[in-house]
Amino acid sequence: MKTMKVSVVTPDGPVYESDVEMVSTKAQSGELGILPGHIPMVAPLQIGAIRLIKDGKTEYVAVTGGLLEVRSEQVTILAQAAEKSENIDVDRALRAKERAEERLRQQRQENIDFKRAELALQRAINRISVAQRKI
Ligand code: ATP
């Protein structure tokens, strides 16, 4: 089976590096599936899951958006933060979700940054669903 090299890199260093058969994720323009031999491209990503098929098995990485680049059998994903599903601390994500929901509830009374709270909520929900491999 043909494979391609995939690296997920954050400012803290590489999070995932492997040879895989397929990568799929959500670009801002919609669902994106990449097989070896894909034409070169760059696409901005949404907060979401990266699904990787390696040796016929599916692996998941949570990303907080970022940029995906395909270049000669190499896929690079640059993101502000990314976690392999098995490294996600679900309790932490649940706490982050509660904090964000509370901020969104308060935002009518106080001048809270709505977009910031909404993004924090999306990151937390994404981490919870990737940890449970529900994406
Ligand atoms: P929190 O409020 O819990 O910090 P956050 O969404 O603000 O959540 P980020 O700013 O996206 O966190 O990430 C900061 C760092 O913490 C990154 O390195 C990220 O990979 C890591 N991180 C955040 N949440 C989790 C989690 N639930 N499990 C494991 N690592 C996490």
Side-chain angles (χ1 to χ4, degrees):
M1 189 104 198
K2 273 197 91 184
T3 62
M4 59 197 156
K5 229 173 240 323
V6 176
S7 310
V8 181
V9 183
T10 74
D12 299 328
V15 167
Y16 181 96
E17 251 166 338
S18 201
D19 289 306
V20 308
E21 291 118 53
M22 194 182 104
V23 180
S24 60
T25 189
K26 254 192 210 153
Q28 278 177 19
S29 53
E31 208 56 54
L32 194 65
I34 296 157
L35 293 167
H38 195 286
I39 52 161
M41 67 171 285
V42 171
L45 300 180
Q46 297 184 31
I47 292 172
I50 303 174
R51 198 163 68 91
L52 304 124
I53 303 194
K54 183 182 164 63
D55 302 328
K57 295 197 192 90
T58 308
E59 300 177 339
Y60 295 91
V61 175
V63 286
T64 60
L67 203 64
L68 177 143
E69 184 193 34
V70 185
R71 192 165 37 95
S72 58
E73 308 302 311
Q74 160 89 45
V75 178
T76 308
I77 292 145
L78 298 172
Q80 194 56 43
E83 304 88 35
K84 285 200 253 185
S85 56
E86 63 268 28
N87 293 337
I88 293 174
D89 177 342
V90 175
D91 285 343
R92 175 174 168 179
L94 285 168
R95 289 196 299 273
K97 178 172 175 279
E98 272 170 28
R99 276 199 307 279
E101 283 169 344
E102 184 54 34
R103 271 184 236 126
L104 290 172
R105 271 195 295 273
Q106 287 171 3
Q107 70 93 27
R108 273 176 175 265
Q109 293 121 49
E110 295 164 36
N111 190 18
I112 289 180
D113 189 337
F114 182 80
K115 191 69 196 164
R116 193 171 153 189
E118 206 178 50
L119 288 172
L121 179 61
Q122 278 183 33
R123 288 196 300 275
I125 290 172
N126 182 47
R127 286 180 174 122
I128 294 162
S129 45
V130 170
Q132 296 168 343
R133 296 176 173 81
K134 277 194 181 156
I135 290 181

